[in-house]
Amino acid sequence: MAEAAAGRGRRAGARLREGAPLLPFFAYLVIFLVIPTVAVLVGSVYLDGSFSFGRIHELFSSTALAALWKSVLLSASTAVVGAVLGAVLAWLVASSPPTSVLRRMMLSLCSVLAQFGGVALAFAFVATVGSTGVLTLWVAHLGVDLAGSGWLYTLTGLVLVYTYFQIPLMVIVFLPALEGLKAQWREAAVSLGATGWQYWRQVAVPLLTPAFLGSMLLLFANAFAAYATAAALVSIGSPIVPLLIRQALTSEVVLGQSGFAYALALEMIVVVAVVMVAYTLLVRRTSRWLR
Amino acid sequence: MTRRTRALRVVLLVLFGIFFLLPIYASALFSLRRPGGGHSMAAWTAIVSDDQLYPAVLVSLGLAFVSVVLMLLLLVPTMIWVRLRAPWARRLVEFLCLLPLTIPALVIVVGLKGVYAWVTYFLGFIGLGESALALTFIYVVLTLPYAYRALDTSLSAIDLQTLAEAARSLGAGWTATITRVVVPNIWSGMLSASFIAIAVVLGEYTIASLMGYQNLQVVIVLLGKTDGPTSVAASLATILLGFVLLLVLSLATRGRRRHVVGGAVR
């Protein structure tokens, strides 16, 4: 008994020594990631020393529900369009020679547009189809008013700009699955008498479906949480959840909306977390054959 | 490949090309416009001369530099140690590094506002109370998912255990083992991690704007209301810089591995 306890003690001591160099990393992440997240969770039900579901209740007000609905609409539509078009583009990339410079350029561009665009994409579209945009002025000669009634600064405009970064993101997350299709599988199918169409329909598509759906979920979460593009484009009103959070954050003193931002942030965590869990499950299914 | 598929590929590539390059081309034209008509480089020179824009460019470059250094200092020793001596912590470290993909930056801002008094105290304590460089601490968190993947790939490619044992048996301490034996072998991974971190920091808007700091993207948005061409020129410059960084990276690691940066959640 005593020996076993001493053994446990020694093991615990070893763990402590092994774990000590990891402390700075864990401490850093606790301060700058875990505490802020926990603060949101706590703040949405507990503020100024009292516990209440009042703020959660506010999520079901008509403003909040309308914003949620538009966010879901925006995320879902751009996820579907982005996934379909992105899969086509990924197929074009996958069937090009792996070392070609054109392919590397396409992938680098995809990476930049998908992940680091933010504000820049909003301005690129203002410069293209805004009221004095380049394309707007070109087609104005043909008598077409492209800028219309400022649709670029509404939900319609967001759908267009979001699609612009969703397609490249789809290429980046879907390409590995597409490249995981082994040439032997195609050869096996063809040697058994399958046509190209039959191979795609009965072998490739069923294999790729989990990856495709998983990528679509990732695109949904990406659009749902995106803030910079929308914030740069829409300065009046708060049609979607991230912009409603901005409004709650910047006007909380004036309107006494204190804490509403917490509830909205909680809503965002819940939606994104649910989607990401589903994504993880689908990816696990894909990785079974993707080696 | 049949002729029909080849034709289809070309048509599709051209259509995608137009969709993706038109806004970039239009931005370039737009940024060269002069208010009265005609062309000028004024918007581009403003990036390094405008009273409001240039300081913000410097702030963002400074943030990128400090964030990269801090990220490498935090992540490289931790990931090496986890592989060598504390494999039980590997799952947890990976989970924490990838967590920022699931927790949107917006949520971190809301949470930070709640504990803001405490954070400003901490920042004031280390002398960064007013400076935008305070953002660096949160930016390191944002870069972790990308940096983790880049470093993980290059650590997997070397025989870390053997290298470390060889160094240790020749009398090197842990610091020497990491800085003089392991680091030179994962140089490419550290470079990828740094380049991607630079791209993340230069493009960051959400946290800076909501915390009230003026970095490059915040000033671009401010300028957008008064001086369209300049803000379009500056935002095009950030996209092009990011593109060049990633292209150089992809060409530098030619053939060694596929350069794929996993999905981001902004």
Side-chain angles (χ1 to χ4, degrees), chain A residues 145-217:
Chain A
D145 182 14
L146 199 58
S149 51
W151 59 271
L152 184 59
Y153 308 98
T154 65
L155 200 63
T156 324
L158 289 182
V159 170
L160 175 69
V161 185
Y162 276 36
T163 306
Y164 189 77
F165 66 66
Q166 296 275 54
I167 295 175
L169 182 60
M170 182 66 183
V171 172
I172 290 169
V173 296
F174 191 59
L175 192 60
L178 210 50
E179 287 183 329
L181 287 179
K182 292 192 176 61
Q184 293 93 311
W185 297 340
R186 185 185 195 113
E187 285 157 13
V190 171
S191 72
L192 290 171
T195 61
W197 167 246
Q198 278 175 323
Y199 160 74
W200 273 104
R201 211 176 60 86
Q202 294 183 353
V203 180
V205 169
L207 278 170
L208 290 173
T209 302
F212 180 81
L213 294 177
S215 307
M216 203 192 283
L217 287 175

Coordinates of all heavy atoms in Angstrom, one line a residue, chain A residues 145-217:
Chain A
D145 N -28.1 50.6 -64.6 CA -27.7 51.1 -63.4 C -27.4 50.0 -62.4 O -28.2 49.5 -61.7 CB -28.8 52.0 -62.8 CG -28.4 52.6 -61.5 OD1 -27.2 52.6 -61.1 OD2 -29.3 53.1 -60.8
L146 N -26.1 49.6 -62.3 CA -25.7 48.5 -61.6 C -25.7 48.7 -60.1 O -26.1 47.8 -59.3 CB -24.2 48.1 -62.0 CG -23.8 46.7 -61.6 CD1 -24.7 45.6 -62.3 CD2 -22.4 46.4 -62.1
A147 N -25.4 49.9 -59.7 CA -25.4 50.2 -58.2 C -26.8 50.2 -57.6 O -27.0 50.1 -56.4 CB -24.6 51.5 -57.9
G148 N -27.7 50.5 -58.5 CA -29.1 50.5 -58.1 C -29.4 51.3 -56.9 O -28.9 52.4 -56.7
S149 N -30.2 50.8 -55.9 CA -30.5 51.6 -54.8 C -29.6 51.3 -53.6 O -30.0 51.2 -52.4 CB -31.9 51.3 -54.4 OG -32.1 49.9 -54.3
G150 N -28.3 51.1 -53.9 CA -27.4 50.8 -52.8 C -27.5 49.4 -52.3 O -27.3 49.1 -51.1
W151 N -27.9 48.4 -53.2 CA -28.1 47.0 -52.7 C -26.8 46.4 -52.1 O -26.8 45.5 -51.3 CB -28.6 46.1 -53.9 CG -27.6 46.1 -55.0 CD1 -27.6 47.0 -56.1 CD2 -26.5 45.2 -55.2 NE1 -26.5 46.7 -56.9 CE2 -25.9 45.6 -56.4 CE3 -26.0 44.1 -54.5 CZ2 -24.8 44.9 -56.9 CZ3 -24.9 43.4 -55.0 CH2 -24.3 43.8 -56.2
L152 N -25.6 47.0 -52.5 CA -24.3 46.4 -52.0 C -24.2 46.5 -50.5 O -23.6 45.7 -49.9 CB -23.2 47.1 -52.7 CG -21.8 46.6 -52.4 CD1 -21.6 45.2 -52.8 CD2 -20.7 47.5 -53.1
Y153 N -24.9 47.5 -50.0 CA -24.8 47.8 -48.5 C -25.9 47.1 -47.7 O -26.2 47.4 -46.6 CB -24.8 49.3 -48.3 CG -23.7 50.0 -49.1 CD1 -24.0 50.6 -50.3 CD2 -22.4 49.9 -48.7 CE1 -23.1 51.2 -51.1 CE2 -21.4 50.5 -49.5 CZ -21.7 51.1 -50.7 OH -20.7 51.7 -51.5
T154 N -26.7 46.2 -48.4 CA -27.7 45.5 -47.7 C -27.4 44.0 -47.7 O -26.3 43.6 -48.1 CB -29.1 45.6 -48.4 OG1 -28.9 45.0 -49.7 CG2 -29.4 47.1 -48.6
L155 N -28.3 43.2 -47.2 CA -28.1 41.7 -47.1 C -27.7 41.1 -48.5 O -26.9 40.3 -48.6 CB -29.4 41.1 -46.6 CG -29.2 39.7 -46.0 CD1 -28.3 39.7 -44.8 CD2 -30.5 39.0 -45.7
T156 N -28.3 41.6 -49.6 CA -28.0 41.1 -50.9 C -26.5 41.3 -51.2 O -25.9 40.4 -51.7 CB -28.8 41.9 -52.0 OG1 -30.1 42.2 -51.5 CG2 -28.9 41.1 -53.3
G157 N -26.0 42.5 -50.9 CA -24.6 42.8 -51.1 C -23.7 41.8 -50.3 O -22.7 41.3 -50.8
L158 N -24.1 41.6 -49.1 CA -23.4 40.7 -48.2 C -23.3 39.3 -48.8 O -22.3 38.6 -48.7 CB -23.9 40.6 -46.8 CG -23.8 41.9 -45.9 CD1 -24.3 41.7 -44.6 CD2 -22.3 42.3 -45.8
V159 N -24.4 38.8 -49.4 CA -24.4 37.5 -50.0 C -23.4 37.4 -51.1 O -22.6 36.5 -51.2 CB -25.8 37.2 -50.6 CG1 -25.7 35.9 -51.4 CG2 -26.8 37.0 -49.5
L160 N -23.3 38.5 -51.9 CA -22.3 38.5 -53.0 C -20.9 38.5 -52.5 O -20.0 37.7 -52.9 CB -22.5 39.7 -53.9 CG -21.5 39.9 -55.0 CD1 -21.6 38.8 -56.1 CD2 -21.6 41.3 -55.7
V161 N -20.6 39.4 -51.5 CA -19.2 39.5 -51.0 C -18.8 38.3 -50.2 O -17.7 37.8 -50.3 CB -19.0 40.8 -50.2 CG1 -17.6 40.9 -49.8 CG2 -19.5 42.0 -50.9
Y162 N -19.8 37.7 -49.4 CA -19.4 36.5 -48.7 C -19.1 35.3 -49.6 O -18.2 34.5 -49.4 CB -20.6 36.1 -47.7 CG -20.6 36.9 -46.4 CD1 -20.2 38.2 -46.3 CD2 -20.9 36.2 -45.2 CE1 -20.1 38.9 -45.1 CE2 -20.9 36.9 -44.0 CZ -20.5 38.2 -44.0 OH -20.5 38.9 -42.8
T163 N -19.9 35.2 -50.7 CA -19.7 34.2 -51.7 C -18.2 34.3 -52.2 O -17.6 33.2 -52.4 CB -20.7 34.2 -52.8 OG1 -22.0 34.3 -52.3 CG2 -20.5 33.1 -53.8
Y164 N -17.8 35.5 -52.4 CA -16.4 35.7 -52.9 C -15.4 35.1 -52.0 O -14.3 34.7 -52.4 CB -16.2 37.2 -53.1 CG -15.0 37.6 -53.8 CD1 -14.9 37.5 -55.2 CD2 -13.9 38.1 -53.1 CE1 -13.8 37.9 -55.9 CE2 -12.7 38.5 -53.8 CZ -12.7 38.4 -55.2 OH -11.6 38.8 -55.8
F165 N -15.6 35.1 -50.6 CA -14.6 34.4 -49.8 C -14.9 33.0 -49.4 O -14.1 32.2 -49.0 CB -14.1 35.3 -48.6 CG -15.2 35.5 -47.5 CD1 -15.7 34.5 -46.8 CD2 -15.6 36.8 -47.3 CE1 -16.6 34.7 -45.8 CE2 -16.6 37.1 -46.3 CZ -17.1 36.0 -45.5
Q166 N -16.2 32.6 -49.7 CA -16.6 31.2 -49.3 C -16.1 30.3 -50.4 O -15.6 29.2 -50.0 CB -18.1 31.1 -49.3 CG -18.8 31.9 -48.1 CD -18.8 31.2 -46.8 OE1 -17.7 30.7 -46.4 NE2 -19.9 31.0 -46.2
I167 N -16.1 30.6 -51.7 CA -15.6 29.7 -52.7 C -14.1 29.3 -52.5 O -13.8 28.2 -52.5 CB -15.8 30.3 -54.1 CG1 -17.3 30.5 -54.4 CG2 -15.2 29.5 -55.2 CD1 -17.7 31.2 -55.7
P168 N -13.2 30.3 -52.3 CA -11.8 29.9 -52.0 C -11.7 29.1 -50.7 O -10.9 28.2 -50.7 CB -11.1 31.3 -51.8 CG -12.0 32.3 -52.3 CD -13.4 31.8 -52.4
L169 N -12.5 29.4 -49.7 CA -12.4 28.6 -48.5 C -12.7 27.1 -48.8 O -12.1 26.2 -48.3 CB -13.2 29.2 -47.4 CG -13.2 28.4 -46.0 CD1 -11.7 28.4 -45.5 CD2 -14.1 29.0 -45.0
M170 N -13.8 27.0 -49.6 CA -14.2 25.6 -50.0 C -13.1 24.9 -50.7 O -12.8 23.7 -50.5 CB -15.4 25.7 -50.9 CG -16.0 24.3 -51.3 SD -16.6 23.4 -49.9 CE -17.1 21.9 -50.7
V171 N -12.4 25.6 -51.6 CA -11.3 25.0 -52.4 C -10.2 24.5 -51.4 O -9.7 23.4 -51.5 CB -10.6 26.0 -53.3 CG1 -9.3 25.5 -53.9 CG2 -11.6 26.4 -54.4
I172 N -9.9 25.3 -50.4 CA -8.8 25.0 -49.4 C -9.2 23.8 -48.5 O -8.4 22.9 -48.3 CB -8.5 26.2 -48.5 CG1 -7.8 27.2 -49.3 CG2 -7.6 25.8 -47.4 CD1 -7.7 28.5 -48.6
V173 N -10.5 23.7 -48.1 CA -10.8 22.6 -47.2 C -11.3 21.4 -48.0 O -11.2 20.3 -47.4 CB -11.9 23.0 -46.2 CG1 -11.4 24.1 -45.2 CG2 -13.2 23.5 -46.8
F174 N -11.7 21.5 -49.2 CA -12.2 20.4 -49.9 C -11.1 19.7 -50.8 O -11.2 18.5 -51.1 CB -13.4 20.8 -50.8 CG -14.2 19.6 -51.4 CD1 -14.8 18.7 -50.6 CD2 -14.3 19.5 -52.8 CE1 -15.5 17.6 -51.1 CE2 -15.0 18.5 -53.3 CZ -15.6 17.5 -52.5
L175 N -10.1 20.5 -51.2 CA -9.1 19.9 -52.0 C -8.4 18.7 -51.5 O -8.2 17.7 -52.2 CB -8.1 21.0 -52.4 CG -7.1 20.7 -53.5 CD1 -7.8 20.5 -54.8 CD2 -6.1 21.8 -53.6
P176 N -8.0 18.6 -50.2 CA -7.4 17.4 -49.7 C -8.3 16.2 -49.9 O -7.7 15.1 -50.2 CB -7.2 17.7 -48.2 CG -7.2 19.2 -48.1 CD -8.1 19.7 -49.2
A177 N -9.6 16.3 -49.7 CA -10.5 15.1 -49.9 C -10.4 14.7 -51.4 O -10.3 13.5 -51.7 CB -11.9 15.5 -49.5
L178 N -10.5 15.7 -52.3 CA -10.5 15.4 -53.7 C -9.2 14.8 -54.1 O -9.2 13.8 -54.9 CB -10.7 16.8 -54.4 CG -11.4 16.7 -55.8 CD1 -12.7 16.0 -55.7 CD2 -11.7 18.1 -56.2
E179 N -8.1 15.2 -53.5 CA -6.8 14.7 -53.9 C -6.6 13.3 -53.2 O -5.7 12.5 -53.7 CB -5.7 15.6 -53.5 CG -5.6 16.8 -54.4 CD -4.5 17.7 -54.0 OE1 -4.1 17.8 -52.8 OE2 -3.9 18.4 -55.0
G180 N -7.4 13.0 -52.2 CA -7.3 11.7 -51.6 C -7.9 10.6 -52.4 O -7.7 9.4 -52.1
L181 N -8.7 10.9 -53.5 CA -9.3 9.9 -54.3 C -8.1 9.3 -55.1 O -7.3 9.9 -55.8 CB -10.2 10.6 -55.4 CG -11.5 11.0 -54.9 CD1 -12.3 11.7 -56.1 CD2 -12.3 9.9 -54.3
K182 N -7.9 8.0 -54.9 CA -6.7 7.3 -55.5 C -7.0 6.9 -56.9 O -8.1 6.5 -57.3 CB -6.4 6.1 -54.6 CG -5.9 6.5 -53.3 CD -5.2 5.3 -52.6 CE -4.7 5.7 -51.2 NZ -5.7 6.2 -50.3
A183 N -6.0 7.1 -57.7 CA -6.1 6.7 -59.1 C -6.5 5.2 -59.3 O -7.2 4.9 -60.2 CB -4.8 7.0 -59.9
Q184 N -6.0 4.4 -58.3 CA -6.3 3.0 -58.4 C -7.8 2.7 -58.4 O -8.3 1.8 -59.0 CB -5.7 2.2 -57.3 CG -4.1 2.2 -57.4 CD -3.6 3.3 -56.5 OE1 -4.0 4.4 -56.7 NE2 -2.6 3.0 -55.7
W185 N -8.5 3.5 -57.6 CA -10.0 3.3 -57.5 C -10.7 3.5 -58.8 O -11.6 2.7 -59.2 CB -10.6 4.2 -56.4 CG -10.0 4.0 -55.0 CD1 -9.4 2.8 -54.6 CD2 -10.0 4.9 -53.9 NE1 -9.0 3.0 -53.3 CE2 -9.4 4.2 -52.9 CE3 -10.5 6.1 -53.7 CZ2 -9.2 4.8 -51.6 CZ3 -10.3 6.7 -52.5 CH2 -9.7 6.1 -51.5
R186 N -10.2 4.5 -59.5 CA -10.8 4.8 -60.8 C -10.4 3.6 -61.8 O -11.3 3.1 -62.5 CB -10.2 6.1 -61.4 CG -10.9 6.4 -62.6 CD -10.3 7.7 -63.3 NE -11.3 8.1 -64.3 CZ -12.0 9.2 -64.3 NH1 -11.8 10.0 -63.3 NH2 -12.8 9.4 -65.2
E187 N -9.1 3.2 -61.7 CA -8.7 2.1 -62.6 C -9.5 0.9 -62.3 O -9.9 0.2 -63.2 CB -7.2 1.9 -62.4 CG -6.3 2.9 -63.0 CD -5.0 3.0 -62.4 OE1 -4.6 2.1 -61.6 OE2 -4.3 4.0 -62.6
A188 N -9.7 0.6 -61.0 CA -10.4 -0.6 -60.6 C -11.8 -0.5 -61.2 O -12.3 -1.5 -61.8 CB -10.5 -0.7 -59.1
A189 N -12.5 0.6 -61.1 CA -13.9 0.8 -61.6 C -13.9 0.6 -63.1 O -14.8 -0.1 -63.6 CB -14.4 2.2 -61.2
V190 N -12.9 1.3 -63.8 CA -12.9 1.2 -65.2 C -12.7 -0.2 -65.7 O -13.3 -0.7 -66.6 CB -11.9 2.2 -65.8 CG1 -11.7 2.0 -67.3 CG2 -12.3 3.6 -65.5
S191 N -11.7 -0.9 -65.0 CA -11.4 -2.3 -65.5 C -12.6 -3.2 -65.2 O -12.7 -4.3 -65.8 CB -10.1 -2.8 -64.8 OG -10.4 -3.1 -63.4
L192 N -13.5 -2.8 -64.3 CA -14.7 -3.6 -64.1 C -15.8 -3.2 -65.0 O -16.9 -3.7 -64.9 CB -15.2 -3.5 -62.6 CG -14.3 -4.2 -61.6 CD1 -14.7 -3.8 -60.2 CD2 -14.3 -5.7 -61.8
G193 N -15.5 -2.3 -65.9 CA -16.4 -2.0 -67.0 C -17.2 -0.7 -66.7 O -18.2 -0.4 -67.4
A194 N -16.9 0.1 -65.7 CA -17.6 1.3 -65.5 C -17.3 2.4 -66.4 O -16.1 2.5 -66.9 CB -17.4 1.8 -64.0
T195 N -18.2 3.2 -66.8 CA -17.9 4.4 -67.6 C -17.4 5.5 -66.6 O -17.6 5.4 -65.4 CB -19.1 4.9 -68.3 OG1 -20.1 5.3 -67.3 CG2 -19.7 3.9 -69.3
G196 N -16.9 6.6 -67.2 CA -16.4 7.7 -66.3 C -17.6 8.2 -65.5 O -17.4 8.5 -64.3
W197 N -18.8 8.3 -66.1 CA -19.9 8.8 -65.3 C -20.3 7.9 -64.2 O -20.5 8.4 -63.1 CB -21.1 9.0 -66.3 CG -22.4 9.2 -65.7 CD1 -23.5 8.4 -65.7 CD2 -22.8 10.4 -64.9 NE1 -24.5 9.0 -65.0 CE2 -24.1 10.2 -64.5 CE3 -22.2 11.6 -64.5 CZ2 -24.9 11.1 -63.8 CZ3 -22.9 12.5 -63.8 CH2 -24.2 12.3 -63.4
Q198 N -20.3 6.6 -64.5 CA -20.6 5.6 -63.4 C -19.6 5.7 -62.3 O -20.0 5.6 -61.1 CB -20.7 4.2 -64.0 CG -22.0 3.9 -64.7 CD -21.9 2.6 -65.4 OE1 -20.9 2.2 -65.9 NE2 -23.1 1.9 -65.3
Y199 N -18.3 5.9 -62.6 CA -17.3 6.0 -61.6 C -17.6 7.1 -60.7 O -17.6 7.0 -59.5 CB -15.9 6.1 -62.2 CG -14.9 6.7 -61.3 CD1 -14.4 5.9 -60.2 CD2 -14.5 8.0 -61.4 CE1 -13.4 6.5 -59.3 CE2 -13.6 8.6 -60.5 CZ -13.1 7.8 -59.5 OH -12.2 8.3 -58.6
W200 N -17.9 8.3 -61.3 CA -18.2 9.5 -60.4 C -19.4 9.3 -59.6 O -19.4 9.5 -58.4 CB -18.4 10.7 -61.3 CG -17.1 11.4 -61.6 CD1 -16.4 11.3 -62.8 CD2 -16.3 12.2 -60.7 NE1 -15.2 12.0 -62.7 CE2 -15.2 12.6 -61.4 CE3 -16.5 12.6 -59.4 CZ2 -14.1 13.4 -60.9 CZ3 -15.5 13.4 -58.8 CH2 -14.3 13.7 -59.6
R201 N -20.5 8.7 -60.2 CA -21.8 8.6 -59.5 C -21.7 7.5 -58.4 O -22.3 7.7 -57.3 CB -22.9 8.3 -60.5 CG -24.2 8.9 -60.1 CD -25.3 8.6 -61.2 NE -25.4 7.2 -61.4 CZ -26.3 6.5 -60.7 NH1 -27.0 7.0 -59.8 NH2 -26.4 5.2 -61.0
Q202 N -21.0 6.4 -58.7 CA -21.1 5.3 -57.7 C -19.9 5.1 -56.8 O -20.0 4.4 -55.9 CB -21.4 4.0 -58.5 CG -22.7 4.1 -59.2 CD -23.1 2.8 -59.9 OE1 -22.3 1.9 -60.1 NE2 -24.3 2.7 -60.4
V203 N -18.8 5.8 -57.2 CA -17.6 5.6 -56.4 C -17.2 7.0 -55.8 O -17.2 7.2 -54.6 CB -16.4 5.0 -57.2 CG1 -15.2 4.9 -56.2 CG2 -16.8 3.7 -57.7
A204 N -16.9 7.9 -56.6 CA -16.3 9.2 -56.2 C -17.3 10.0 -55.3 O -17.0 10.4 -54.2 CB -15.8 10.0 -57.3
V205 N -18.5 10.2 -55.9 CA -19.5 11.0 -55.1 C -19.8 10.5 -53.7 O -19.8 11.2 -52.7 CB -20.7 11.3 -56.0 CG1 -21.8 11.9 -55.2 CG2 -20.4 12.2 -57.2
P206 N -20.1 9.2 -53.6 CA -20.4 8.6 -52.3 C -19.2 8.8 -51.3 O -19.4 9.1 -50.2 CB -20.7 7.2 -52.5 CG -21.1 7.1 -53.9 CD -20.4 8.2 -54.7
L207 N -18.0 8.7 -51.9 CA -16.8 8.8 -51.0 C -16.6 10.3 -50.6 O -16.2 10.5 -49.5 CB -15.6 8.4 -51.8 CG -15.3 6.9 -51.8 CD1 -14.1 6.6 -52.8 CD2 -14.9 6.4 -50.4
L208 N -17.0 11.2 -51.5 CA -16.7 12.6 -51.2 C -17.9 13.3 -50.4 O -17.7 14.4 -49.9 CB -16.5 13.4 -52.5 CG -15.2 13.1 -53.2 CD1 -15.2 13.8 -54.6 CD2 -14.0 13.5 -52.4
T209 N -19.0 12.6 -50.3 CA -20.2 13.3 -49.7 C -19.9 13.8 -48.3 O -20.2 14.9 -48.0 CB -21.4 12.4 -49.8 OG1 -21.7 12.1 -51.2 CG2 -22.6 13.1 -49.2
P210 N -19.4 12.9 -47.4 CA -19.1 13.4 -46.0 C -18.2 14.7 -46.0 O -18.5 15.6 -45.3 CB -18.5 12.3 -45.3 CG -18.8 11.1 -46.1 CD -19.0 11.5 -47.5
A211 N -17.2 14.6 -46.8 CA -16.2 15.7 -46.9 C -16.9 17.0 -47.4 O -16.7 18.1 -46.9 CB -15.0 15.4 -47.7
F212 N -17.8 16.8 -48.4 CA -18.5 17.9 -49.0 C -19.4 18.6 -48.0 O -19.4 19.8 -47.8 CB -19.3 17.4 -50.2 CG -20.0 18.5 -50.9 CD1 -19.4 19.4 -51.8 CD2 -21.4 18.7 -50.7 CE1 -20.1 20.4 -52.4 CE2 -22.1 19.7 -51.3 CZ -21.5 20.5 -52.2
L213 N -20.2 17.7 -47.3 CA -21.2 18.2 -46.3 C -20.4 18.9 -45.1 O -20.8 20.0 -44.6 CB -22.1 17.1 -45.8 CG -23.0 16.5 -46.8 CD1 -23.8 15.4 -46.2 CD2 -23.9 17.6 -47.4
G214 N -19.3 18.3 -44.7 CA -18.5 18.8 -43.6 C -18.0 20.2 -44.0 O -18.0 21.1 -43.2
S215 N -17.4 20.3 -45.2 CA -16.9 21.6 -45.7 C -18.0 22.6 -45.7 O -17.8 23.8 -45.4 CB -16.3 21.4 -47.1 OG -15.4 20.4 -47.1
M216 N -19.2 22.2 -46.1 CA -20.3 23.1 -46.2 C -20.6 23.7 -44.8 O -20.9 24.9 -44.6 CB -21.5 22.5 -46.8 CG -22.5 23.4 -47.4 SD -24.1 22.7 -47.8 CE -23.7 21.8 -49.3
L217 N -20.6 22.8 -43.8 CA -20.8 23.2 -42.4 C -19.8 24.2 -42.0 O -20.1 25.3 -41.3 CB -20.8 22.1 -41.5 CG -22.0 21.2 -41.6 CD1 -21.9 19.9 -40.7 CD2 -23.3 21.9 -41.2

